[in-house]
Amino acid sequence: MESSRNFVVNGGIKMPIGYRFHPTDEELVVHYLKRKVLSLPLPASVIPEFDVFQTDPWSLPGDSKENRYFFSNSYGNESNKNGKRAAGSGYWKPIGKEKPILASGSNQVVGMRKALIYCERKSSNDTKTRWLLHQYRLVGSAAALGSSQMSKWKLFGDWLVFRVFQRKRNAKKHRASSNKSQTTSAVTMPSCIDFTVEDCSVYGPPQPSSPSSSEITEVSLNGLVEEESSDFISSYSNR
């Protein structure tokens, strides 16, 4: 059947055209990670098992332009007290603190999310990249499990789910540059308008003049005065 086809890109799963996999943190923990731990059927088989610390983020299976999700029971090798985890040609470095994931109905903590940024090792110094990693783990659910589920929890409870993605390039700088350009235009335009209004208020509305008049002001297409007669300037200063 056509619906049973596998959509694979770069060794990872790709959704059919028109579909996107964008679960919330709660959905990812409750409906995928928890069911994975308890060996229950998943809503969809869209998250493969893969150790994200085996390679660089851009070399992970799947489409690098999309958010990629992976199940893994590996926490990686922490190289020091800062929690850096070696991966490929660099390492993942934690940023900020773990954030709790709350159930929408009861506000009960069902999981925790940790954020990490990928840094490349270079001869001079380490460089941060735009690659980010979100690590999700379960918390506080074992007490509500039955005896059979408890055994599965002890066996598979170390499962994690990871989300790998890239930040947009210089989004803040682009907005700041755009706002600055708009502000400059907004300031520049009134200066031309005020100049025109000032002339009208002093000399009244423009009057038709004969071609032989020496007090002719030539104005360019953008409203800026290019030439102005000396007689006009002296008469303005005497008023």
Side-chain angles (χ1 to χ4, degrees):
M1 293 179 62
E2 185 71 19
S3 60
S4 63
R5 290 174 54 191
N6 291 326
F7 295 83
V8 180
V9 172
N10 191 27
I13 299 174
K14 179 177 176 60
M15 301 296 291
I17 296 175
Y19 288 82
R20 294 292 183 271
F21 183 62
H22 289 300
T24 64
D25 288 352
E26 179 188 359
E27 291 170 342
L28 195 60
V29 169
V30 175
H31 297 286
Y32 284 89
L33 181 56
K34 184 177 180 180
R35 296 181 72 86
K36 176 71 172 178
V37 169
L38 299 177
S39 298
L40 297 175
L42 300 177
S45 299
V46 292
I47 304 180
E49 296 180 11
F50 193 84
D51 184 1
V52 297
F53 301 106
Q54 282 187 1
T55 184
D56 300 303
W58 51 84
S59 299
L60 291 170
D63 188 353
S64 61
K65 297 180 181 179
E66 300 287 343
N67 292 336
R68 288 175 289 176
Y69 298 85
F70 302 97
F71 284 123
S72 178
N73 53 12
S74 172
Y75 282 78
N77 296 322
E78 296 188 1
S79 58
N80 54 32
K81 295 181 180 179
N82 294 329
K84 296 179 181 179
R85 307 180 195 179
S89 60
Y91 58 88
W92 290 101
K93 179 181 179 180
I95 49 177
K97 297 181 180 180
E98 271 192 312
K99 296 183 178 180
I101 301 170
L102 306 178
S104 55
S106 60
N107 284 334
Q108 178 185 359
V109 179
V110 294
M112 299 293 291
R113 187 189 75 187
K114 177 181 289 188
L116 303 94
I117 187 170
Y118 190 73
C119 302
E120 290 185 278
R121 298 184 187 275
K122 295 188 176 181
S123 56
S124 57
N125 55 1
D126 296 348
T127 304
K128 291 182 179 180
T129 68
R130 294 186 294 119
W131 287 98
L132 295 177
L133 176 71
H134 284 174
Q135 171 191 289
Y136 298 87
R137 64 181 179 89
L138 289 170
V139 295
S141 301
L145 301 178
S147 58
S148 60
Q149 291 180 328
M150 181 65 75
S151 60
K152 293 180 180 179
W153 182 276
K154 292 179 179 179
L155 182 61
F156 301 104
D158 288 337
W159 279 106
L160 304 169
V161 64
F162 294 93
R163 173 183 174 228
V164 183
F165 61 101
Q166 276 186 297
R167 292 182 300 182
K168 293 182 179 180
R169 185 185 300 273
N170 296 332
K172 292 184 178 179
K173 291 183 178 180
H174 177 73
R175 288 196 297 268
S177 176
S178 177
N179 293 337
K180 182 178 180 181
S181 176
Q182 293 177 1
T183 303
T184 303
S185 300
V187 172
T188 303
M189 289 303 294
S191 65
C192 297
I193 296 173
D194 292 343
F195 183 84
T196 306
V197 171
E198 184 180 358
D199 287 347
C200 293
S201 64
V202 175
Y203 300 101
Q207 300 295 329
S209 58
S210 63
S212 61
S213 173
S214 61
E215 297 181 356
I216 297 177
T217 302
E218 297 181 1
V219 182
S220 64
L221 293 177
N222 61 2
L224 298 178
V225 177
E226 292 180 345
E227 296 181 4
E228 187 169 343
S229 66
S230 58
D231 294 339
F232 183 85
I233 296 175
S234 60
S235 63
Y236 178 81
S237 61
N238 294 330
R239 287 176 180 265

